[in-house]
Amino acid sequence: MAERGRPRAFDRNEALRHAMEVFWARGYEGTSVGDLIAAMGINKPSLYAAFGSKEALFREAVALYDQVEGTPIQRALDEAPTARASVEAVLRHNAEAYARADQPRGCMIVLSSLLGTPENEAVRRFLKDQRTLGEEALRRRIERGVAEGDVPAGADARRLATFYTTVTQGLSVQARDGATADALGTIVDAAMSAWDKLIEPEDR
């Protein structure tokens, strides 16, 4: 017989995954502690004991999201043979992933907290930093393309990375608004059709 008052054991990793799904679907400010404990199957004292605070839990949830959803992105950046192929693979993966029916639509890092109350400014800065990391990864891959010769030496890697990051963020918003994977794919088609023009050195 269990000792009276003993906290119910729970799987921390499973609870974290459920928290990630709630934050992903509802955003940071749209998710209450009540929402979290209901989804995670734990009580409030257990949540605070295991994760510290709602914000600390959110940061862990973002790290899990990055691990799960970011793995195929990193693979595309590492393994595609050219910078163009890498960028296109990233966009096409996102177009499919953002519209999946078995998970919240769009990108958790893009959508979770763009606006909100002043007391949550630290969360917004945290997410901004996460988005910047993604853009920098694209920039580095394009710079690798320059070094390997599949992107012209005078191409502006930062401008390219900013443009395709903006496309990715737009795909996320369109997906949350209900766009299908096919509709998002047409956006990717249009974005990639601009590649050859965008890689031209600016002084040409």
Side-chain angles (χ1 to χ4, degrees), residues 167-182:
V167 172
T168 296
Q169 293 171 354
L171 292 175
S172 181
V173 174
Q174 290 289 325
R176 183 57 65 95
D177 284 348
T180 65
D182 286 345

Side-chain angles (χ1 to χ4, degrees), residues 5-183:
R6 182 177 179 178
R8 180 162 59 95
F10 67 96
D11 185 320
R12 190 181 190 280
N13 292 332
E14 182 181 357
L16 178 59
R17 181 174 291 273
H18 288 311
M20 176 192 75
E21 291 169 352
V22 176
F23 282 127
W24 189 357
R26 302 183 185 183
Y28 181 77
E29 291 195 14
T31 299
S32 68
V33 172
D35 295 330
L36 291 167
I37 61 176
M40 298 165 76
I42 62 177
N43 58 32
K44 188 181 294 187
S46 293
L47 184 153
Y48 288 121
F51 298 99
S53 67
K54 176 186 171 183
E55 181 177 336
L57 172 59
F58 178 72
R59 288 172 183 261
E60 283 201 48
V62 168
L64 176 61
Y65 175 86
D66 187 55
Q67 176 186 337
V68 173
E69 298 297 319
T71 296
I73 299 298
Q74 191 60 54
R75 186 180 304 119
L77 294 173
D78 290 341
E79 299 178 3
T82 65
R84 187 191 193 285
S86 287
V87 170
E88 183 168 4
V90 168
L91 293 181
R92 293 205 183 279
H93 170 79
N94 287 338
E96 291 291 332
Y98 291 170
R100 282 175 54 182
D102 62 341
Q103 63 187 26
R105 285 176 161 262
C107 173
M108 178 181 177
I109 294 172
V110 171
L111 298 173
S112 286
S113 187
L114 292 173
L115 299 171
T117 58
E119 57 264 32
N120 291 318
E121 179 61 27
V123 171
R124 288 190 290 280
R125 287 197 305 270
F126 167 67
L127 290 172
K128 176 181 177 293
D129 290 343
Q130 296 300 305
R131 293 191 292 271
T132 298
L133 289 174
E135 183 174 328
E136 289 299 298
L138 276 183
R139 178 186 58 77
R140 288 192 301 272
R141 181 60 185 90
I142 294 164
E143 288 175 345
R144 176 181 148 197
V146 173
E148 294 177 354
D150 59 83
V151 177
D156 187 335
R158 186 169 297 281
R159 182 181 67 158
L160 281 160
T162 300
F163 174 77
Y164 285 107
T165 297
T166 302
V167 172
T168 296
Q169 293 171 354
L171 292 175
S172 181
V173 174
Q174 290 289 325
R176 183 57 65 95
D177 284 348
T180 65
D182 286 345

